[in-house]
Amino acid sequence: MSSITVPGAVPVPESRKERENYLNIQHTVASWLLTLDHKRIAILYLVGITFMFAIGGAAAAGIRIALVRPHDTFFSNEVYNKLFSIHGIVMVFFFLVPSIPAVFGNFALPLMIGARDVAFPRLNLLSWYLYMTGSFLMLLAIMFGGVDTGWTFYTPYSSVYSDTNVSLVIFGVFIAGFSSIATGVNFLVTIHKMRAPGMTWFRMPLFVWAMYATSIIMILGTPVVAITLFLVAMERIFGFCVFNPVCGGDPLLFEHLFWFYSHPAVYIMILPSMGVVSEVIACFSRKRIFGYEFVGFSSLAIALLGFLVWGHHMFVTGESMYSGMVFSLLSFLIAVPSAIKVFNWSATLYKGNIWLSAPMIYALGFIGLFTIGGLTGLYLASLAVDIHLNMTYFVVAHFHYVMVGGAIFGFMAALHFWWPKMTGRLYPESWAKLAALIMFIGFNLTFFPQFILGYLGMPRRYHYYLPEYQAWNILSSAGASVLAVGYIIPFCYLLWSLFKGAPAGNNPWGAVGLEWTIPSPPPSHNYDEVPIVTWEAYDYEPVIQAELAGAAVGHPLMTTEEPYIKETE
């Protein structure tokens, strides 16, 4: 008999098979609300952002209902303005920005580098309380009448003229911003100081590289938008003259400060998804990521270049032609590191032993949709074309292809990939694949027609439109219904799997990361002994040899509680 073992796998003694884990070690409410375990904090974040996603999704449903007819009679002008404002603010600041970093960064990053927790556990718990406080203020604003400024809070309307709950929402976003800063600081210090022996920079998983780049943006960018929104609130409450042109303020100053953060914020939302896609593609093609170093450094390049392109949001605000040309050139330049990632993922798939699992389908969907979103971004980066497309539904479609097609598909890939490790349970694979396909079809039915609407000239943020646009809007609203079904199905079967799902075992995917060498769910302290890393990232050769030898590995119904080690004749 011979043994085939993934590098770093540690045999689990028989006596520890029914061991305590981070989920069952304590069951009281206080044990969860006062926990310092990064894994439990990840679960708390998952519950919080899921609730906020439902709020934002309900507002989106209202928008699509209103746009079925050219002259909407479902909602008044004021209600429609509040719907798209609530949708944008909730989705951007309370779901997309914290989603993967706060949930899967918190859960997986320490496990992936061999750490027993993040560097500052108390700061980590504080970040969740800050997020929940901001979310609570947002919900209060909705209950007290909502907000109608859009998610961009453009002045002087937001600072002087709007009679909705702008200040309450701003303070909610302001507080949630400190949550992002705390998370970013924690991840940077954890990655620098708490990697296992032998875990060099070029042995780190690419998800860790992506979280490192994301943390840089969180720390450098979030304070800018926080102080900007604080100034809006001060102008609104106390009459400070900062952005109001009536008293000498400058509304364009607000746009510069807001977009200096908000374009890098796009990469806070998308870079973690890129890291997830690297993990999933490597696992389910059984290959080391092609050009590993280029993919890692491209994450840092995106983070740094992201701070240099904010002006392409302001081509029609009267900025100089020279500034517009510079920002246009830089906007084309930032597409290069993203293109490197897409090329290298495609090269990794080439001649790989591809397994079309649910996480892999979401990852492939991400690549296709993000590519469309990125390429259409080049149209908006061109000065002449942007004049025609600015403030039309083309921008809405582009943004959603990047954010929904990118960030949410990446989030779903991460959820399905790490769900067995988080819960110790398997979900029904056939339902998961069906949901992924429905979501992909529904997404394209919803947002591709909006490219056509934008090209034809339909402005965004209007619910009265010309009758010739109705057919495309009906198709988009029908697609949104399909997309909603694609969201509801995973919620149902993942909830079911918590109680009825088959035991997942330590490594149901046959993956090679450190997190797959410990039990599922992991113990509260992660590792009994600090692992020593002696292998390169994504060394799937032993996995391939095991599968060729007939070992029953990487099967969706594999329920063994042993680590990834199989015996063959």
Side-chain angles (χ1 to χ4, degrees), residues 36-319:
L36 299 181
D37 187 340
H38 67 99
K39 300 179 292 299
R40 283 197 165 197
I41 293 172
I43 299 299
L44 293 173
Y45 265 116
L46 179 60
V47 173
I49 68 166
T50 300
F51 179 77
M52 296 305 289
F53 179 81
I55 299 295
I63 294 170
R64 292 318 317 171
I65 290 172
L67 291 172
V68 169
R69 291 185 288 192
H71 303 293
D72 172 40
T73 57
F74 289 105
F75 304 112
S76 65
N77 297 338
E78 292 77 12
V79 171
Y80 183 81
N81 290 345
K82 291 176 181 178
L83 281 175
F84 75 69
S85 300
I86 291 167
H87 170 68
I89 294 167
V90 169
M91 285 302 199
V92 170
F93 294 109
F94 296 99
F95 177 75
L96 290 170
V97 167
S99 58
I100 294 180
V103 178
F104 302 107
N106 257 321
F107 182 87
L109 189 148
L111 298 176
M112 297 174 87
I113 64 174
R116 290 183 173 172
D117 210 311
V118 293
F120 307 115
R122 288 179 175 80
L123 184 64
N124 200 19
L125 179 61
L126 175 63
S127 73
W128 178 74
Y129 275 105
L130 290 171
Y131 169 79
M132 293 306 297
T133 302
S135 300
F136 177 72
L137 292 178
M138 181 69 213
L139 293 175
L140 279 181
I142 294 173
M143 289 187 292
F144 291 152
V147 62
D148 64 353
T149 61
W151 76 274
T152 52
F153 299 103
Y154 277 167
T155 58
Y157 181 68
S158 63
S159 61
V160 178
Y161 300 109
S162 175
D163 60 357
T164 57
N165 300 294
V166 179
S167 298
L168 196 57
V169 172
I170 282 178
F171 283 121
V173 174
F174 180 79
I175 292 171
F178 282 95
S179 173
S180 290
I181 295 170
T183 300
V185 169
N186 230 335
F187 288 170
L188 280 186
V189 177
T190 301
I191 294 169
H192 270 283
K193 294 296 186 180
M194 300 185 69
R195 301 194 308 275
M199 178 66 76
T200 63
W201 285 93
F202 293 106
R203 287 177 175 172
M204 290 195 313
L206 287 168
F207 179 75
V208 179
W209 276 92
M211 290 309 309
Y212 187 86
T214 304
S215 299
I216 292 174
I217 302 174
M218 287 177 171
I219 294 172
L220 297 181
T222 308
V224 177
V225 76
I227 194 64
T228 302
L229 293 179
F230 181 77
L231 289 173
V232 172
M234 293 300 100
E235 184 170 287
R236 182 176 180 84
I237 297 171
F238 299 111
F240 290 1
C241 189
V242 183
F243 305 118
N244 185 2
V246 173
C247 58
D250 187 356
L252 288 183
L253 174 62
F254 173 85
E255 288 198 39
H256 280 291
L257 293 173
F258 181 84
W259 288 114
F260 180 79
Y261 162 80
S262 293
H263 192 85
V266 171
Y267 302 114
I268 294 178
M269 306 174 211
I270 205 67
L271 272 172
S273 290
M274 292 175 167
V276 171
V277 169
S278 295
E279 299 299 315
V280 171
I281 285 181
C283 176
F284 295 108
S285 63
R286 294 295 192 253
K287 285 178 67 178
R288 177 178 169 85
I289 291 291
F290 180 84
Y292 165 94
E293 292 83 1
F294 283 90
V295 176
F297 280 119
S298 67
S299 294
L300 297 178
I302 289 172
L304 297 177
L305 289 172
F307 284 102
L308 304 178
V309 297
W310 78 91
H312 69 217
H313 293 272
M314 302 174 62
F315 284 158
V316 297
T317 61
E319 69 180 7

Side-chain angles (χ1 to χ4, degrees), residues 401-426:
Y401 264 83
V402 175
M403 291 299 97
V404 181
I408 293 183
F409 267 69
F411 178 85
M412 296 302 290
L415 185 63
H416 286 77
F417 185 57
W418 280 304
W419 184 263
K421 181 58 60 177
M422 297 172 76
T423 66
R425 297 285 180 174
L426 292 170

Side-chain angles (χ1 to χ4, degrees), residues 365-390:
F366 170 95
I367 294 174
L369 299 177
F370 174 76
T371 300
I372 294 173
L375 290 174
T376 53
L378 298 180
Y379 288 87
L380 299 173
S382 303
L383 277 77
V385 179
D386 185 72
I387 291 173
H388 172 62
L389 297 176
N390 190 273

Side-chain angles (χ1 to χ4, degrees), residues 547-563:
E547 292 173 339
L548 290 175
V553 296
H555 191 279
L557 297 180
M558 189 179 80
T559 60
T560 176
E561 290 297 324
E562 295 298 323

